[in-house]
Amino acid sequence: MSFDGAVPAAVPCTAIIAALANERAALARVPHAGLGWSVVQSGPGPERAARCARAAVAAGAQALVSWGLAGGLAADVASGTVILPRRVIMQRGETFAVAAAWHERLAALAGEFTVSFGDLLTVPVALGSSAAKAAAATALAAVAVDMESAAIAAVAARARVPFVALRVIVDAQTDALPVGAEKWIDACGNMRGAAALGAIVRPGEWQALWRLAQRYRKANAVLVRLARSVAARRLFDGAAGQG
């Protein structure tokens, strides 16, 4: 397992790319020896995710996973929903299908979690307002949004290796992010405590902060359970070669 964008010299068959430290931590808690996968913390955004994906493939990865949290775009996608998209979409409209056979195996998670199979949109900058989320949902018919998955999918497509995305919703469509929330995370995907604490001194942000904290706790708990389930079912084991 490697962190902060450092890809090991030799990667097991499946490379799992998580942008943030807390996303990586959910998998780090799971005993994974012999499961055939490695986790790379890329940092936020499509460029960093793509760079880590390319490095993982160069190091021998035969399959790629985009793992972590996401925001809700569709009105009926609530916090804690697992997103297992059949397609990921770039903001300009380019689409990438996930590996169908692998997706079918992962779909068994619907017996344990609330799962949506709708499209996942990738954007370079977080959609902070409910209006921006609703507009993106209308324009591209996506149910959720992140900042990495389509970039990883594009690398997988060029390398001709299987790809899937597995995300958990934090903020719903109607939730606005606190002003400056993007500054809470550094380039490596680690929390900037001082920046986050700065929002607490602004009374106008308290309601949004409280709501986001509640959503995050729920989503993170689901992400931890999801990591355990994926490992126990060996759903990332031997994923390479599944189209």
Side-chain angles (χ1 to χ4, degrees):
M1 181 173 295
S2 61
F3 311 117
D4 301 331
V7 177
V11 172
C13 71
T14 302
I16 306 170
I17 298 175
L20 310 181
N22 60 298
E23 297 170 338
R24 180 264 303 164
L27 287 166
R29 297 172 187 170
V30 177
H32 60 281
L35 291 180
W37 43 263
S38 177
V39 185
V40 180
Q41 182 178 319
S42 67
E47 293 84 4
R48 296 184 183 96
R51 183 166 61 246
C52 281
R54 288 192 296 268
V57 170
Q62 299 172 50
L64 296 175
V65 178
S66 175
W67 166 272
L69 303 171
L73 294 182
D76 59 349
V77 172
S79 177
T81 300
V82 174
I83 305 299
L84 181 58
R86 293 186 176 91
R87 301 190 311 168
V88 295
I89 309 173
M90 288 188 171
Q91 195 170 33
R92 60 180 178 265
E94 186 176 3
T95 63
F96 300 89
V98 304
W102 195 0
H103 185 277
E104 186 175 350
R105 287 184 63 208
L106 287 163
L109 293 165
E112 185 178 351
F113 300 89
T114 300
V115 178
S116 171
F117 301 110
D119 291 349
L120 174 63
L121 171 66
T122 293
V123 296
V125 179
L127 302 180
S129 70
S130 56
K133 295 177 190 178
T138 299
L140 294 165
V143 302
V145 61
D146 71 8
M147 295 173 61
E148 297 82 25
S149 290
I152 300 168
V155 173
R158 286 192 292 269
R160 298 182 182 274
V161 299
F163 163 82
V164 292
L166 202 55
R167 297 275 177 157
V168 178
I169 295 295
V170 179
D171 48 303
Q173 184 200 78
T174 55
D175 296 326
L177 298 179
V179 175
E182 70 282 357
K183 298 178 182 177
W184 300 356
I185 305 295
D186 67 19
C188 293
N190 300 311
M191 176 67 74
R192 285 179 171 144
L197 287 172
I200 296 175
V201 303
R202 298 192 295 269
E205 298 287 345
W206 287 354
Q207 184 175 9
L209 284 170
W210 181 87
R211 186 184 301 111
L212 185 63
Q214 296 296 313
R215 302 281 199 260
Y216 171 77
R217 278 194 286 270
K218 180 176 183 178
N220 196 60
V222 173
L223 194 67
V224 170
R225 285 177 47 221
L226 187 63
R228 292 172 182 160
S229 185
V230 165
R233 298 175 187 229
R234 303 182 74 90
L235 293 176
F236 291 159
D237 185 26
Q242 297 190 64

